[in-house]
Amino acid sequence: MRRFSRGESSGQESDFRGLEDKAYEFVIETDGGVGGGYVGVFKTGEWCVAIEPHGWLVTLHEVVTELSQGCEVLAVTRHDYAADHSFAYAIDGKLVTGYRLRHPHERYGSDPDRLNGFMRELGMGLDKPEDEAAWDAVWEVNYGTAVPRSFALAAKVNGVRFGPEMLDRPMLVGPIVGNDPFAPSSSTRCLACHLTALPVPRGCIHECVGDG
């Protein structure tokens, strides 16, 4: 929690409903232009799960790499309005693999092919389509399956299955401080729902859900 707040808050114990209320109030106060403003964090196994409703900040390149200093961060974002669904995997300050969920053939990062074996197991097409018919076929397959496949990929990497039952757990809720998405230094690209890894014990799984 202190990583998200830059040391300003250790969070308050709450639940998902409390997190949603905090995020909704923030969205109303800011007209929805700077995300949800709050994150909920809880531990599961060797990882921590962080949920960012109505937001996307944690998957911005400069944020996910900062959060991963000394640990691992795996972030998946589902954004239903103004940005692409995205996946980001960072280790110790470096973005290792990232891609837009409906475009798994367009991977980037320091080691873009790191997760190819898992991705193929999940039926993701990793080769760039060669013609219009191939593009149409890939889009048809990926449109409805991209988000669940990205969570399945996350589970293969960290062993954590993110399901609805996780939203019933108590969590620490606190503010996300800094990294204004409209600041001049901010990336305009969003990797977006998250699973994240913190340094103790191992990592944090972050889910970011933006709906505009």
Side-chain angles (χ1 to χ4, degrees):
M1 186 68 252
R2 293 183 66 81
R3 286 198 173 213
F4 292 102
S5 68
R6 294 179 176 267
E8 294 186 12
S9 172
S10 297
Q12 294 184 337
E13 188 168 341
S14 186
D15 54 19
F16 183 69
R17 177 62 181 271
L19 171 61
E20 280 270 83
D21 289 345
K22 286 282 190 182
Y24 182 74
E25 290 173 5
F26 183 87
V27 168
I28 295 300
E29 291 173 0
T30 59
D31 295 325
V34 288
Y38 283 83
V39 65
V41 180
F42 58 89
K43 182 181 176 183
T44 178
E46 294 184 342
W47 290 69
C48 292
V49 173
I51 305 173
E52 183 191 357
H54 309 294
W56 56 85
L57 290 184
V58 178
T59 48
L60 293 173
H61 291 192
E62 66 273 22
V63 180
V64 72
T65 51
E66 182 177 341
L67 283 174
S68 72
Q69 293 287 346
C71 65
E72 301 176 47
V73 174
L74 196 160
V76 183
T77 300
R78 190 201 76 201
H79 200 297
D80 293 335
Y81 177 61
D84 289 317
H85 306 318
S86 306
F87 180 102
Y89 181 42
I91 301 175
D92 198 15
K94 182 178 292 185
L95 180 64
V96 177
T97 303
Y99 70 98
R100 292 180 296 158
L101 300 193
R102 290 173 178 153
H103 302 266
H105 53 279
E106 296 177 351
R107 301 175 303 284
Y108 49 85
S110 63
D111 189 0
D113 297 333
R114 168 80 68 94
L115 306 180
N116 282 13
F118 289 150
M119 296 174 81
R120 288 195 176 95
E121 288 177 14
L122 294 168
M124 298 185 190
L126 303 184
D127 298 323
K128 184 176 180 179
E130 297 181 354
D131 53 39
E132 185 174 348
W135 276 105
D136 290 343
V138 167
W139 181 257
E140 185 69 23
V141 169
N142 287 338
Y143 186 82
T145 63
V147 173
R149 281 181 175 176
S150 70
F151 278 103
L153 176 59
K156 284 182 175 293
V157 174
N158 54 40
V160 178
R161 179 187 175 276
F162 189 87
E165 67 280 359
M166 284 193 169
L167 301 182
D168 295 329
R169 297 190 182 189
M171 60 184 69
L172 291 175
V173 173
I176 299 173
V177 177
N179 296 298
D180 181 349
F182 297 109
S185 61
S186 293
S187 167
T188 58
R189 191 167 192 177
C190 177
L191 302 174
C193 193
H194 334 320
L195 299 180
T196 312
L198 297 179
V200 180
R202 179 191 172 193
C204 173
I205 300 171
H206 188 92
E207 175 189 8
C208 172
V209 182
D211 57 9

